[in-house]
Amino acid sequence: MPFIDLESNLPSSKFPDEFLKKMCSSTAAVLGKPEDRMNLTVRAGLSMLMAGSSAPCVQVTVSAIGVVDSAEKNKQHSAKIFQFLTQELGLSEDRIVLRFWPLEPWQVGKKGTVMTFL
């Protein structure tokens, strides 16, 4: 059950439903998870500063159980997510930052319990 949280100073018009569907599909494929397990949040129009500049930028946090728990995996994930974001948003790689947070099954609640018991 991955969680993808995208924050940006780009206007919300840059993130129509079509973008969300593409990002969901793309990150599901990258992480090897079914799309119906993905959770995606986009926060646009934020006041943001990256590397001393308020030029358009994006920060993405990827949290998941079992798929973002090593440098080797995250290097591969990063390359593919960067490719998607640069193509879709027209940003250069230096205006994008990814953060990977591995989760344990007991840290994610669903259906009145935690994933450990599902």
Side-chain angles (χ1 to χ4, degrees):
M1 176 180 285
F3 299 88
I4 310 296
D5 296 303
L6 183 150
E7 298 175 321
S8 181
N9 58 359
L10 291 166
S12 58
S13 61
K14 288 284 191 178
F15 304 100
D17 284 345
E18 183 66 23
F19 174 86
L20 274 71
K21 290 175 184 174
K22 283 183 182 179
M23 184 158 186
C24 179
S25 179
S26 177
T27 53
V30 166
L31 300 175
K33 296 289 186 174
E35 286 186 44
D36 64 353
R37 297 252 176 113
M38 301 297 291
N39 298 282
L40 176 65
T41 303
V42 173
R43 293 176 189 89
L46 301 174
S47 297
M48 294 177 65
L49 191 70
M50 183 181 288
S53 170
S54 59
C57 62
V58 167
Q59 295 182 125
V60 178
T61 302
V62 180
S63 306
I65 298 169
V67 294
V68 295
D69 55 355
S70 75
E72 293 79 18
K73 289 178 188 176
N74 291 341
K75 181 179 179 184
Q76 294 175 9
H77 301 328
S78 183
K80 293 172 184 174
I81 294 170
F82 266 83
Q83 181 180 14
F84 171 81
L85 292 172
T86 56
Q87 288 176 350
E88 291 294 319
L89 299 175
L91 296 176
S92 62
E93 288 186 350
D94 66 330
R95 301 305 299 161
I96 301 169
V97 173
L98 303 180
R99 292 175 287 190
F100 296 98
W101 292 101
L103 297 172
E104 296 295 330
W106 54 266
Q107 293 176 304
V108 179
K110 186 171 180 171
K111 297 182 180 181
T113 186
V114 293
M115 294 301 290
T116 303
F117 301 105
L118 294 176

